[in-house]
């Protein structure tokens, strides 16, 4: 064990194998033992940090297996689709066009471009699994082995982190086979101001819908440009979305009972059981109330964004014959999600579902009819102007506020506004002023005390 946990190189000698056979009462296969030693020493030699390069290699391996290069014909067709989509969007939204031209990318290029965001989102869960493995090992070991366990803890972090990194690589690699564009998942995965589509993937969508590729390409290009324009215009929005996602991710914890049961029979040379537990989500306990609240905020935010994109894209592609059919297919894909998105939910407990997208789209349609595209798009100018979940529930109230602002009327006040007004006017209730009335006297309901208690402050 000292040789193993000390990370010493070399194999076990014949004498050591004979001693091990005597201890276990079984013949020890030298090849099997060297395989176990290799797995454990490799994990122990790691720094204990998550090897994200392993995630990248795994994702690219899957993405490039059936990945196709982009032909010159596809690139030319997409350039035309982007040019027409830009013109149509200029009629449908007041938000200006992108500074950088859009591009067509392969599945592998999508992995390379989006992996930094996936790493940021998955890191809290990866750290939680690695820490929980170490804690479970320490809790199970007897007191006389705690010194040995301190060295093994680094090994367990390496094993847990390596398995998680490998699973995340598989999820991202399989996602690259499903997504249609950079903004298709709903969160800002692409660099700021960058827009891209994956021709290989939307060709599969067009074939399933029996719609010509040029119409699918034009719709997907318009939707992707609308998404990228929004995030470029509202510079604060990207950080707002990522912070909402990470707030939820930091609340994800590992089911320690399930993990301790798994750790009690864990064989580092055969990590399939731990890998299966990660894939199935068996290590994730039910969500807490705080997580449910964070997830609800995230879903409302994603619905607000995608509802706007849906309305703007519909207005821009009104001339496209198959626009409604393609739009419904895209909405269904976002509502249900593909296998890779479900695997992401099992791995990190994160659902990127805009469950209220139809309600949010109806809100944006109502706002557009009332105040026009420019008034609607001005709600993205500042964070405090963005519609809330209450506005999705009651679009009429939002429209009334916008119309009042356009007329120059004072906005309707709420309870907080009224409280501030009373405070500034010096007309606060007795409970807020320590029992005094507003004219400096004594509240007659106060309990009598010493004379000093009755002097005005």
């Amino acid at each position: 064990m000292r040789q193993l946990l000390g990370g010493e190189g070399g194999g076990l000698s014949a004498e050591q194998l004979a001693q091990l056979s005597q201890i276990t009462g079984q013949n020890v296969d030298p090849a099997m033992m060297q395989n176990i030693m290799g797995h454990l020493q490799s994990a122990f030699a790691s720094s204990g940090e998550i090897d994200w390069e392993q995630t990248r290699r795994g994702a690219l391996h899957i993405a490039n297996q059936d990945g196709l290069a982009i032909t010159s014909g596809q690139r030319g067709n997409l350039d035309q689709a982007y040019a027409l989509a830009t013109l149509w969007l200029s009629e449908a939204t007041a938000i200006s066009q992108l500074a950088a031209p859009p591009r067509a990318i392969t599945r592998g290029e999508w992995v390379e471009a989006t992996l930094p965001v996936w790493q940021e989102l998955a890191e809290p869960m990866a750290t939680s699994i690695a820490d929980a493995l170490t804690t479970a090992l320490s809790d199970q070991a007897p007191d006389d082995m705690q010194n040995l366990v301190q060295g093994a803890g680094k090994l367990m972090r390496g094993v847990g982190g390596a398995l998680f990194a490998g699973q995340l690589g598989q999820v991202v690699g399989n996602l690259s086979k499903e997504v249609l564009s950079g903004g298709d998942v709903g969160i800002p995965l692409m660099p700021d101001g960058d827009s891209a589509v994956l021709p290989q993937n939307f060709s599969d969508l067009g074939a399933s819908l029996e719609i010509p590729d040029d119409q699918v390409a034009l719709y997907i290009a318009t939707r992707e440009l609308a998404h990228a324009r929004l995030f470029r215009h509202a510079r604060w929005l990207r950080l707002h979305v990522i912070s909402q996602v990470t707030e939820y991710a930091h609340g994800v914890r590992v089911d320690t009972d399930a993990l301790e049961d798994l750790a009690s029979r864990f064989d580092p040379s055969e990590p399939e059981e731990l890998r299966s537990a990660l894939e199935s989500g068996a290590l994730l306990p039910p969500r807490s109330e705080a997580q449910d609240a964070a997830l609800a905020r995230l879903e409302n935010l994603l619905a607000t964004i995608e509802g706007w994109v849906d309305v703007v894209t519909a207005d821009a592609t009104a001339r496209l014959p198959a626009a409604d059919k393609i739009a419904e297919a895209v909405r269904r894909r976002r509502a249900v999600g593909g296998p890779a998105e479900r695997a992401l939910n099992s791995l990190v407990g994160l659902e990127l579902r805009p469950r209220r997208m139809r309600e949010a789209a109806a809100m944006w349609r109502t706002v557009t009819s009332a105040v026009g595209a420019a008034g609607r798009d001005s709600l993205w100018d500042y964070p405090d102007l963005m519609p809330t979940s209450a506005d999705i529930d009651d679009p009429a109230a939002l429209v009334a506020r916008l119309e009042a602002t356009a007329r120059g009327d004072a906005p309707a006040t709420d309870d907080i506004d009224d409280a501030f007004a009373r405070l500034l006017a010096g007309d606060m209730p007795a409970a807020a002023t320590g029992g005094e009335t507003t004219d400096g006297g004594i509240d007659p309901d106060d309990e009598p005390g010493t004379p000093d208690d009755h002097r005005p402050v």
Side-chain angles (χ1 to χ4, degrees):
M1 291 296 290
R2 279 194 298 269
Q3 180 178 346
L4 171 65
L5 298 178
E8 299 176 12
L12 293 176
S13 66
E15 181 182 359
Q16 288 174 313
L17 288 174
Q19 291 174 347
L20 192 58
S21 297
Q22 291 176 359
I23 293 172
T24 61
Q26 299 178 1
N27 290 326
V28 178
D29 181 3
M32 180 193 72
M33 181 54 62
Q34 298 304 335
N35 185 38
I36 294 175
M37 293 282 285
H39 277 289
L40 295 178
Q41 287 184 343
S42 175
F44 188 70
S46 70
S47 64
E49 301 296 328
I50 308 300
D51 183 9
W52 296 114
E53 180 59 26
Q54 180 183 350
T55 302
R56 176 180 173 275
R57 290 194 302 267
L60 287 175
H61 174 72
I62 294 174
N64 293 329
Q65 275 182 333
D66 301 318
L68 301 177
I70 300 171
T71 65
S72 58
Q74 286 177 321
R75 203 176 298 278
N77 291 338
L78 281 171
D79 287 342
Q80 295 179 10
Y82 272 132
L84 186 54
T86 299
L87 291 175
W88 286 356
L89 278 173
S90 298
E91 299 174 354
T93 177
I95 293 178
S96 60
Q97 64 188 55
L98 300 176
R103 57 196 178 100
I105 60 175
T106 64
R107 292 171 175 176
E109 290 172 333
W110 180 87
V111 168
E112 295 276 16
T114 63
L115 200 56
V117 178
W118 291 122
Q119 176 181 331
E120 182 179 358
L121 300 184
E123 192 162 12
M125 185 60 187
T127 304
S128 181
I129 288 178
D131 290 343
L133 272 171
T134 305
T135 302
L137 180 66
S138 177
D139 291 345
Q140 290 182 16
D143 293 339
D144 58 352
M145 292 189 65
Q146 286 299 321
N147 290 335
L148 186 62
V149 167
Q150 290 178 3
K154 184 178 178 182
L155 179 146
M156 297 303 287
R157 285 187 61 85
V159 170
L163 286 175
F164 185 90
Q167 291 302 110
L168 181 62
Q170 290 189 31
V171 169
V172 175
N174 286 317
L175 266 174
S176 72
K177 299 180 179 181
E178 298 178 6
V179 296
L180 305 177
S181 62
D184 195 31
V185 178
I187 58 177
L189 295 173
M190 301 293 291
D192 190 26
D194 198 0
S195 64
V197 297
L198 286 75
Q200 181 177 357
N201 294 358
F202 72 66
S203 293
D204 296 340
L205 175 66
S208 65
L209 296 176
E210 298 181 351
I211 296 175
D213 280 355
D214 58 345
Q215 292 196 43
V216 178
L218 187 50
Y219 184 90
I220 298 301
T222 305
R223 187 177 181 86
E224 171 67 2
L225 281 177
H227 191 272
R229 279 191 182 194
L230 175 60
F231 277 91
R232 181 177 179 271
H233 171 79
R235 299 284 186 179
W236 51 270
L237 186 58
R238 180 185 185 87
L239 179 60
H240 189 48
V241 173
I242 296 297
S243 64
Q244 291 278 357
V245 176
T246 53
E247 178 188 354
Y248 173 80
H250 278 293
V252 175
R253 294 294 180 265
V254 175
D255 188 338
T256 54
D257 292 337
L259 187 59
E260 286 177 3
D261 177 65
L262 184 61
S264 66
R265 59 182 187 276
F266 179 63
D267 180 359
S269 68
E270 296 291 339
E272 291 302 324
E273 188 172 4
L274 179 56
R275 183 177 291 114
S276 298
L278 289 173
E279 289 177 352
S280 65
L283 298 181
L284 298 178
R287 288 193 295 264
S288 64
E289 292 184 5
Q291 282 182 282
D292 284 335
L295 185 59
R297 290 192 296 271
L298 176 60
E299 288 176 344
N300 283 322
L301 175 60
L302 294 179
T304 304
I305 293 170
E306 296 209 27
W308 181 90
V309 172
D310 196 62
V311 167
V312 170
T313 303
D315 290 346
T317 57
R319 305 180 184 91
L320 196 63
D324 291 341
K325 188 175 181 180
I326 302 171
E328 185 58 31
V330 170
R331 281 192 289 267
R332 284 200 303 269
R333 288 178 73 258
R334 290 293 294 120
V336 177
E341 286 195 65
R342 291 192 287 274
L344 177 68
N345 178 31
S346 297
L347 186 63
V348 300
L350 180 62
E351 294 181 86
L352 298 174
R353 301 266 69 80
R355 300 187 189 279
R356 306 187 66 195
M357 186 174 73
R358 292 182 187 274
E359 293 91 333
M363 176 200 69
W364 286 117
R365 179 62 65 197
T366 301
V367 171
T368 306
S369 300
V371 300
R376 174 200 66 201
D377 297 343
S378 67
L379 293 175
W380 296 109
D381 290 347
Y382 303 100
D384 54 344
L385 297 179
M386 187 182 72
T388 64
S389 59
D391 294 323
I392 297 178
D393 295 332
D394 186 12
L398 173 60
V399 169
R401 293 200 307 272
L402 294 174
E403 290 177 339
T405 301
R407 292 192 303 267
D409 296 342
T413 61
D414 56 19
D415 292 341
I416 296 178
D417 294 326
D418 293 339
F420 272 118
R422 291 197 301 272
L423 176 63
L424 294 175
D427 185 21
M428 291 301 292
T433 57
E436 294 182 38
T437 60
T438 54
D439 61 359
I442 305 302
D443 192 323
D445 292 332
D446 264 359
E447 292 291 332
T450 63
D452 286 345
D453 292 336
H454 288 242
R455 289 180 298 179
V457 177

